[in-house]
Amino acid sequence: MKNIILTGFMGCGKTSVGIRLSYRVRRTMTDTDRKIERLYRMSVSEIFEKMGEEAFRDMETHCLEKLLDEPQGQIIAVGGGLPIRSRNRELLKRLGWVVYLRVKPETICSRLATDTTRPLLQGEDREEKVRALMSARGSFYESAADIMIDVDGKTVDEIVDEIVGNIEGGDGNYETIGD
Ligand code: S3P
């Protein structure tokens, strides 16, 4: 049984979709940011501040490598910048079935207008930062993905329905995904 990995830009809904999906398909859910925070006993913001972005990116790669040794069949939400490294995209493919939750910049700007937890979006011109990062990353998300779902204007349940519909591939069998 394969893992289901949720990717996409910050604020696209990976965590809420992942939690709901994990109930629906009765699988455990994990999250690379939370795993890194637990391991290093620091928040993502503190890691960026004290150790820098590159160190955080190395931690993400290490986290994926460790996930390969864990039991399969999990729902895994990954940080928004993780698919940017080619090594990470390779690891994602090996880890399971990759779902890209695609979102418009307007949706993210309104959702994250007052967010203080994403170091890359702090300071002036948040909207500009969102647009620039999104346009730089779009092709990486796409090339890492097995399926892509447009999430704007959809409820968490509707998104989960789409994922489950794709997973089941018409035969209702979650265990066959990605085969
Ligand atoms: C990042 C996304 C964040 C977190 C870090 C960097 C990014 O995760 O990993 O702040 O580069 O897009 P979420 O996508 O869960 O917000």
Side-chain angles (χ1 to χ4, degrees):
M1 191 184 310
K2 295 208 173 188
N3 295 310
I4 302 173
I5 299 140
L6 301 173
T7 69
F9 200 79
M10 293 171 261
C12 70
K14 289 164 292 192
T15 305
S16 22
V17 168
I19 291 170
R20 197 73 59 89
L21 180 62
S22 76
Y23 283 113
R24 185 79 80 81
V25 297
R26 296 194 183 83
R27 297 291 151 200
T28 55
M29 146 108 185
T30 187
D31 179 316
T32 56
D33 284 345
R34 302 293 86 77
K35 271 178 150 353
I36 290 170
E37 289 182 329
R38 274 200 300 275
L39 186 64
Y40 293 89
R41 294 167 197 244
M42 275 189 270
S43 68
V44 169
S45 298
E46 285 173 310
I47 296 171
F48 268 68
E49 195 186 312
K50 296 190 176 136
M51 304 169 79
E53 181 173 350
E54 248 342 86
F56 177 72
R57 300 300 172 200
D58 290 339
M59 293 172 191
E60 289 186 312
T61 303
H62 182 60
C63 185
L64 291 182
E65 286 163 349
K66 283 182 53 177
L67 275 164
L68 279 174
D69 295 330
E70 289 190 12
Q72 304 287 289
Q74 302 194 71
I75 312 298
I76 306 170
V78 306
L82 182 145
I84 309 313
R85 271 196 183 180
S86 70
R87 166 84 181 136
N88 292 350
R89 292 197 297 281
E90 260 170 53
L91 289 166
L92 287 176
K93 292 266 179 222
R94 283 169 55 197
L95 257 180
W97 199 69
V98 182
V99 180
Y100 167 30
L101 303 180
R102 186 167 66 175
V103 68
K104 293 194 172 125
E106 304 83 88
T107 306
I108 296 305
C109 290
S110 71
R111 278 188 197 165
L112 300 186
T114 56
D115 176 81
T116 55
T117 64
R118 271 89 170 186
L120 294 180
L121 300 183
Q122 301 312 301
E124 304 285 292
D125 293 330
R126 186 172 293 220
E127 212 169 312
E128 196 40 51
K129 285 177 179 145
V130 168
R131 285 180 196 282
L133 276 175
M134 237 186 222
S135 82
R137 292 175 170 188
S139 62
F140 297 120
Y141 290 135
E142 283 175 27
S143 73
D146 294 301
I147 68 155
M148 191 162 78
I149 295 180
D150 285 313
V151 299
D152 304 274
K154 292 179 186 160
T155 64
V156 170
D157 278 323
E158 285 168 337
I159 299 164
V160 169
D161 284 344
E162 273 192 52
I163 297 173
V164 171
N166 274 280
I167 288 169
E168 291 177 342
D171 64 3
N173 188 1
Y174 165 63
E175 310 215 354
T176 63
I177 59 159
D179 289 345

